Every structure is written in structure tokens, then in C-alpha cells.
Amino acid sequence: MAEGDARVPQVAVVLKQLWLGLAAYRLYPGSVDRPGFVAAVERIGAAARTALASGPVDVEVRGDRMVLEGGELPDDDHLQKLALACFERRVERLTVVGVPDASELERLYAVLSRGVDDLDRDGGAGEVLRSRGVEAIELSRVGPAPVEG
């Protein structure tokens, strides 16, 4: 099995746990001390540590599916829902570069619960997330890199 293939299950678990955390957050927005959210944070942390041992988790969002290193991730309802939550907010890339804590996840989920027009007025989901100090997870659009020099 190629190294990229070995990462697919690890990445899928991180993304599934991120969706389950978002679902728990949306049930009780702002109530990050509720047992369901606390448990989700712990599961996300464990999954992220495992996946990050072999490098950042960097997936492209394409509608209701996610792509890792050019290959689609397994067809899974949780991954589809997370992909749609991102795509509907013009997020085309989700990157996990560290293990997010409860505060970062709360801020991520607040962004993924806002309307796209509201986010666009503030510079887009990625900019809003960065401005709130979230470092472990990045949201971005895919596009040409700016020319420098």
C-alpha cells in the first residue's frame, strides 16, 4: 500500500470527527462545556495526533466530496456533510496543521455556522478564521498564487 493510501483512513477519521464536533456545536452553539462537545474535542485531538504524525492533513473540497492528494476520500455521509458545510462557505481547501483545542474548534465551528454573505463581507471564511487566531486549522480557496517579486 502506498504511503498516501495508508493515510486515507487516518484523514477520513479526522474529518469525520470534525463533522461530529460541528454537529454537536450546532445543537448548542456557544455551549462548549457540554459533555457532547467536550467528548468531540477529545476525539478530534486523538484523531488529529494520529494523522499529523505523517504530516499535515490537507484536503481539497469539491462540492460534497473531499480529495486527498488527488484521490477522492471514501464515500461517507459525515465527510459529505463537512464538505458541503465548507463548500457552501466558499472553502475549497481544509488543512489541519496542528491539534486544535476546544477554543480553536469553537471558533472554527462559529465560522462554519455563519452565512456565506456575512463571511464574504469580512474577507471570507479563511480570513475570518485567521483573524480569530486559529492556527491548527486553515480554511482557504483554491486558486492561483499571487505573483511576488
Side-chain angles (χ1 to χ4, degrees):
M1 181 182 286
E3 183 180 329
D5 294 340
R7 289 200 74 205
V8 168
Q10 296 171 346
V11 169
V13 169
V14 172
L15 298 172
K16 178 178 180 174
Q17 293 304 324
L18 284 171
W19 166 255
L20 293 172
L22 176 58
Y25 175 86
R26 286 180 172 175
L27 281 175
Y28 303 101
S31 298
V32 296
D33 56 344
R34 294 191 65 84
F37 189 79
V38 171
V41 171
E42 292 171 4
R43 288 190 307 269
I44 292 164
R49 275 188 286 284
T50 299
L52 290 168
S54 57
V57 172
D58 185 13
V59 295
E60 197 172 319
V61 178
R62 296 183 185 168
D64 68 348
R65 53 197 174 94
M66 294 191 169
V67 176
L68 173 70
E69 299 170 359
E72 279 191 41
L73 289 170
D75 189 21
D76 178 278
D77 189 46
H78 300 98
L79 273 59
Q80 289 174 345
K81 290 177 182 178
L82 179 62
L84 281 171
C86 291
F87 190 76
E88 289 168 352
R89 287 155 186 86
R90 294 185 174 82
V91 173
E92 297 170 315
R93 172 163 266 131
L94 185 151
T95 309
V96 180
V97 296
V99 178
D101 61 22
S103 176
E104 287 185 307
L105 289 168
E106 177 184 20
R107 288 176 271 164
L108 168 68
Y109 295 150
V111 167
L112 292 178
S113 297
R114 288 176 61 181
V116 67
D117 293 335
D118 186 34
L119 288 169
D120 283 348
R121 275 192 298 276
D122 291 338
E127 179 57 34
V128 172
L129 197 62
R130 278 187 297 281
S131 72
R132 294 192 173 169
V134 175
E135 296 179 1
I137 298 176
E138 301 167 358
L139 303 176
S140 57
R141 294 182 179 168
V142 175
V147 177
E148 295 180 12

